[in-house]
Amino acid sequence: MNLPNTHFEDFPIEFKQINPEDFSNFHTTEKVIISPDSDGYIKTPLTNHIKLYDKNTVVINAGVGQGKTTAIIDIVKQYYSNTDYVIFLASPFVSLVEQYYKDILEKEIPERDVFRYEVLGNEEPTDFWHKRIHIVTANCLLGNPGEDAFVSSSVKRYYTNRLVKYCEKHGKKVIFIYDEIHDAIHNFKEKYIFNLWKWRNVILKNYIISATYNEASKVVIEYLAELTDDKIQIIESERRRFSEKQSELFLHYNNEQFYTYDDKAITDLVKELIYLDKDIDILSYSKTLADNIIKNKGSGIGKELYSKYAEINNCTSELVLNQRNDRVTPQNRYNPSMCNVGTNFKTGVSIKKGNHAYVIILPPKGAKKPFKNNYGIFSGGINSIIQALARQRVKGEIHLILPKPKDFDFESLQFEEVEKVEVFKEFYTSVMDTQQLEHKTKYLSLSSQDEILNAFYEKEIKENVRHEIDFVKSLDRLNSVRLDFPEYRLFKLNEGEALLAKKYDFYGNDLSSYITYCAITNQFINCKLASGNRVPALIFKYGEIQKGLKEYCNSYYFQDDRRMHIYYFYNDTQFYNIFRDDLFNSFQLIFQNSSGQLLPLKKHGTANHNKCFELQLLSFVQHFGYTNNPVNRHEYFKDGKLHDGVYDRSQYFLEGIAHAEIINTEDIQDNPNATRRLKAFKFLNFLRQQVINSQITITTAHQGTFQFVLNKPNENFIPQDRLEEFREILKHFLEEDEILSRYEFKHRFINKEESKQIESLYSIILNDFFKTTDYKEASGARRNGKKIIEIKPIPRHTEVVNYISLPDYDYEALPETFFEVNALSEEEVKNITEEIRK
């Protein structure tokens, strides 16, 4: 199936717009729409529309990767050129302060004029009030002490108060720049806003910047704009795709309840990426999972990473109970020269590695709980996905590990063309979780969030206590504790985003639904769907192919009840064909040869296919399905351990004859293909008997009496009246027998006269049905021949694989009710599976 996103090349990218009508009580100018330049950046068009010295709040709504932070750093330098200005660059995280610091110094701004937030509490910030540029955190400006403190530290309060007084005394004008505001919203609580009013006499301008605004950010804009005389300017960039910059996006649907450090699918993916020599970073939804990956060096994902990297950089929080144990600069930051595994580079980091594979492990199926989702760093909903994907700044690969999405309400889609709906539906249903069919995910536009939140606030929250609210308002409560029901905007600020992410699938409750929708419709700016479900890699080692195939069955094949039905109802030929197709179609197969070299495994019939692997596939069905065969136990098991055995042409022919001889040709006369195949093996057995009955002679020599057969057949080997039959069976073996094509056979007959073809088949029969040694008669004609050591017996058909019979039904044409009617019970499936695994 073609990738569905090819039908959405020009489909508009939806994003959260900020509009003047969102701020009806403020003075807003007409919104400015700017376009990225030919390289995808907005620096020039953005700066052209900013009036540096007008008092207002500038809202910059620009797409990920469009260079908005770079543009802002240039604006910082312009203000720095005027000594009357003090600039605050507020980051949502301490970990980003260093990056801003480096960016500013690159603009040739003296280090002596730049203050870094990390200094507070770690060293004496001498004369910090003289510095012109301050890189701080939003929580520092707002005095947010964190979850486990009551007030901001005395050092931070002194820092703020001293600066305010200095600016007022010396007539300085202050510029505040809030970058990545989406990650700082939690600081803007009502009780902290008063700290911003300390700057009311010196503030000139706010810059508020984000690629992923939400409804809560609108309230933040109002709070900040109040300090700039209620004046707001909105600058919004167009969201445009630049295909030459887009990474390849691969979706790995993994429906395990929980992901562990040794999850086979994730481990195999990492193993494959290492094989392809990719530089790898892993962003995990969970700190525990990231820590476990790093500390388990001997197994799972960690083992594969340590096979490539001497050291893994742990990018998880050092906070314990929200407190950093040592007053030192945190060290667990993203390091561009290392392999990073962790949780804290979801935002604010630019990954520019070449040949890079960025693996993002999203919350698994079991993380969704009835009351609180354990989504970790992705608890914030869909904006956290956009920000995480945006870390990849140069063309590379992005691999998402995610559960299968819920069923989708396709009628909720807002596509004008019916064709788009059908394409979307076809792809989505091919990857969705068929066990989660209730409460379908509905498409919801980003522009409807305010309406949805307002309706929930009014109807679900406020309506329940509306009479009580009115009653309390009628009371004289002059000396009572304040009792005001929170207004809608405060509800939106404090609870709105959490509500949307938890209650509505498309806004974050089912992240997989949203991601799949966006991948199909090309909603991500920096990446484009390259595979509906990236084919994972399976590595088979020389001498351990049987072991690897058994592990594949246990881990993948027989975890699917439908595959159990195939095994149960199908004969060996069809099981082999479907099993083999599934293996090659579902995985990238890699063969590690005896010297340790990794080589791609190609399917038989293509160039450079691996004969060894193909024969092991044939033998796997034999020893896997017929464990009672004593030959199997001897051939494939030694010291109780499974190893690679041999399934040669001789075994294939003998087992085919064993099954052919018990089938009546008349019973399958309605199936021409099956009839020809059956007749071919019956005729082969006839020729075997011809050798035994008419070609073998008893010879006596000094070694004793033994059976002797000539290297060439006599004239009666194939009777004249059966020559046509010979031609038919030879045609079958040469043109129709796919299994036989894996062995040396065909070239023995091509471009030869019929007499020579008969001799070739005779030679093959001697080789495959008899154990012999070369022998030359000592006297007489001194003919060349073979001494018969053993006539290989035809095995019992109940103990060997059946590659002769064809099914009497077409699997693809079976009605859906077939497997319902013929379904095994859970207990039967369990018993069969356990027996197989033994």
Side-chain angles (χ1 to χ4, degrees), residues 3 13 32 47 77 111 247 373 383 427 461 473 504 514 523 530 535 550 581 592 664 682 686 789 808:
L3 287 177
I13 297 174
V32 176
T47 54
K77 185 174 182 179
E111 185 176 2
S247 293
N373 292 338
N383 282 346
F427 180 85
I461 298 178
K473 284 183 178 179
Y504 300 95
Y514 174 77
Q523 293 297 295
V535 179
K550 187 171 187 295
D581 286 345
Q592 186 176 34
N664 191 330
K682 284 183 177 290
F686 162 73
I789 298 173
D808 56 2

Side-chain angles (χ1 to χ4, degrees), residues 261 291-303 306:
Y261 70 90
D291 287 340
N292 285 340
I293 289 172
I294 294 170
K295 73 181 182 182
N296 283 282
K297 298 183 178 182
S299 60
I301 303 166
K303 178 182 178 181
Y306 283 108

Side-chain angles (χ1 to χ4, degrees), residues 218-263:
K218 294 178 183 178
V219 184
V220 171
I221 292 169
E222 291 191 13
Y223 269 136
L224 293 175
E226 236 186 311
L227 291 163
T228 59
D229 298 338
D230 295 341
K231 296 177 181 179
I232 299 175
Q233 180 188 19
I234 303 170
I235 304 176
E236 196 164 85
S237 73
E238 294 179 336
R239 277 25 175 201
R240 290 174 52 192
R241 309 176 184 91
F242 292 82
S243 57
E244 66 276 9
K245 299 173 65 174
Q246 286 185 305
S247 293
E248 293 181 299
L249 176 64
F250 299 95
L251 304 181
H252 304 265
Y253 293 106
N254 184 329
N255 234 26
E256 294 291 338
Q257 283 294 312
F258 299 98
Y259 301 147
T260 60
Y261 70 90
D262 58 352
D263 181 277

Side-chain angles (χ1 to χ4, degrees), residues 345-494:
F345 53 98
K346 174 176 64 69
T347 187
V349 170
S350 296
I351 303 177
K352 299 179 180 180
K353 297 179 180 180
N355 196 32
H356 185 248
Y358 179 28
V359 180
I360 304 176
I361 305 177
L362 292 159
K365 189 175 181 179
K368 183 181 289 188
K369 302 297 181 183
F371 300 105
K372 183 179 181 180
N373 292 338
N374 296 326
Y375 284 1
I377 64 171
F378 296 105
S379 297
I382 59 178
N383 282 346
S384 60
I385 298 296
I386 297 171
Q387 287 293 333
L389 291 172
R391 297 314 99 214
Q392 184 92 320
R393 296 299 196 186
V394 296
K395 196 176 186 71
E397 293 184 1
I398 300 177
H399 298 263
L400 299 187
I401 314 297
L402 70 168
K404 293 181 178 181
K406 288 175 60 175
D407 193 4
F408 207 96
D409 181 358
F410 301 111
E411 293 184 0
S412 68
L413 293 170
Q414 297 182 4
F415 305 152
E416 293 182 0
E417 300 93 340
V418 175
E419 180 188 14
K420 280 185 168 59
V421 176
E422 293 305 315
V423 168
F424 183 97
K425 183 177 181 180
E426 180 183 4
F427 180 85
Y428 193 97
T429 53
S430 73
V431 299
M432 76 179 191
D433 188 350
T434 56
Q435 297 179 356
Q436 297 286 333
L437 299 178
E438 296 182 0
H439 309 295
K440 297 180 180 181
T441 298
K442 292 179 180 291
Y443 166 80
L444 298 170
S445 69
L446 297 180
S447 61
S448 64
Q449 288 180 338
D450 185 54
E451 180 183 351
I452 290 172
L453 284 174
N454 192 281
F456 187 88
Y457 170 82
E458 292 291 343
K459 297 177 181 179
E460 301 294 333
I461 298 178
K462 192 172 183 179
E463 185 62 33
N464 185 52
V465 290
R466 187 174 300 278
H467 294 301
E468 288 68 31
I469 294 171
D470 293 340
F471 177 75
V472 170
K473 284 183 178 179
S474 69
L475 298 177
D476 182 4
R477 303 185 68 255
L478 181 63
N479 296 317
S480 300
V481 179
R482 188 185 73 170
L483 186 57
D484 292 331
F485 193 82
E487 65 164 298
Y488 169 61
R489 285 176 294 182
L490 287 180
F491 160 76
K492 186 162 61 170
L493 175 66
N494 298 323

Side-chain angles (χ1 to χ4, degrees), residues 53-257:
Y53 307 112
D54 283 1
K55 187 172 185 178
N56 64 0
T57 292
V58 180
V59 179
I60 301 173
N61 185 2
V64 293
Q66 291 186 337
K68 55 187 179 299
T69 302
T70 301
I72 284 298
I73 298 298
D74 281 351
I75 291 173
V76 169
K77 185 174 182 179
Q78 292 184 62
Y79 282 116
Y80 176 77
S81 65
N82 188 327
T83 58
D84 291 335
Y85 291 90
V86 175
I87 308 101
F88 285 87
L89 182 53
S91 157
F93 305 117
V94 179
S95 58
L96 297 183
V97 171
E98 182 180 10
Q99 184 59 52
Y100 293 132
Y101 179 72
K102 291 178 179 178
D103 292 340
I104 287 174
L105 294 187
E106 286 180 0
K107 295 296 181 181
E108 299 181 349
I109 294 175
E111 185 176 2
R112 66 177 182 273
D113 279 342
V114 183
F115 178 82
R116 294 173 60 177
Y117 168 81
E118 298 114 304
V119 172
L120 289 176
N122 294 324
E123 59 184 74
E124 189 63 32
T126 306
D127 293 345
F128 61 82
W129 49 88
H130 291 302
K131 296 181 184 292
R132 303 271 313 288
I133 298 174
H134 294 255
I135 310 173
V136 297
T137 61
N139 74 334
C140 175
L141 285 179
L142 282 122
N144 182 357
E147 296 178 7
D148 299 301
F150 298 104
V151 295
S152 182
S153 70
S154 58
V155 173
K156 294 177 184 178
R157 282 182 283 161
Y158 172 73
Y159 166 76
T160 302
N161 294 334
R162 185 72 175 82
L163 269 173
V164 169
K165 291 179 180 179
Y166 175 82
C167 291
E168 289 180 337
K169 180 178 179 180
H170 295 277
K172 301 292 183 182
K173 293 297 181 183
V174 180
I175 308 297
F176 292 98
I177 301 172
Y178 298 90
D179 199 8
E180 310 285 6
I181 193 67
H182 54 271
D183 276 319
I185 286 174
H186 63 280
N187 293 294
F188 289 84
K189 298 185 186 301
E190 187 177 12
K191 62 181 178 180
Y192 299 142
I193 299 298
F194 293 97
N195 287 293
L196 296 180
W197 281 85
K198 293 176 183 289
W199 305 94
R200 61 189 179 276
N201 296 324
V202 293
I203 185 173
L204 176 72
K205 211 176 194 72
N206 290 310
Y207 290 92
I208 306 174
I209 311 161
S210 180
T212 49
Y213 283 96
N214 51 32
E215 285 300 317
S217 59
K218 294 178 183 178
V219 184
V220 171
I221 292 169
E222 291 191 13
Y223 269 136
L224 293 175
E226 236 186 311
L227 291 163
T228 59
D229 298 338
D230 295 341
K231 296 177 181 179
I232 299 175
Q233 180 188 19
I234 303 170
I235 304 176
E236 196 164 85
S237 73
E238 294 179 336
R239 277 25 175 201
R240 290 174 52 192
R241 309 176 184 91
F242 292 82
S243 57
E244 66 276 9
K245 299 173 65 174
Q246 286 185 305
S247 293
E248 293 181 299
L249 176 64
F250 299 95
L251 304 181
H252 304 265
Y253 293 106
N254 184 329
N255 234 26
E256 294 291 338
Q257 283 294 312

Side-chain angles (χ1 to χ4, degrees), residues 707-736:
Q707 293 178 312
F708 173 77
V709 63
L710 292 173
N711 283 340
K712 293 185 178 181
N714 59 33
E715 295 180 358
N716 296 324
F717 176 57
I718 300 181
Q720 286 294 318
D721 61 350
R722 302 198 69 168
L723 278 176
E724 187 59 34
E725 195 173 349
F726 160 74
R727 296 171 189 131
E728 288 296 320
I729 74 110
L730 187 59
K731 181 179 179 181
H732 169 78
F733 283 137
L734 294 178
E735 298 178 6
E736 298 179 345

Side-chain angles (χ1 to χ4, degrees), residues 288-348:
T288 300
L289 177 59
D291 287 340
N292 285 340
I293 289 172
I294 294 170
K295 73 181 182 182
N296 283 282
K297 298 183 178 182
S299 60
I301 303 166
K303 178 182 178 181
E304 302 305 327
L305 291 175
Y306 283 108
S307 72
K308 179 178 176 69
Y309 302 99
E311 186 179 0
I312 308 299
N313 187 34
N314 189 332
C315 292
T316 57
S317 174
E318 295 171 335
L319 299 181
V320 178
L321 296 177
N322 205 38
Q323 300 294 323
R324 185 168 286 111
N325 293 330
D326 300 312
R327 297 295 299 169
V328 295
T329 301
Q331 301 299 311
N332 57 345
R333 298 175 179 177
Y334 181 87
N335 188 328
S337 64
M338 297 181 70
C339 170
N340 300 272
V341 176
T343 58
N344 65 7
F345 53 98
K346 174 176 64 69
T347 187

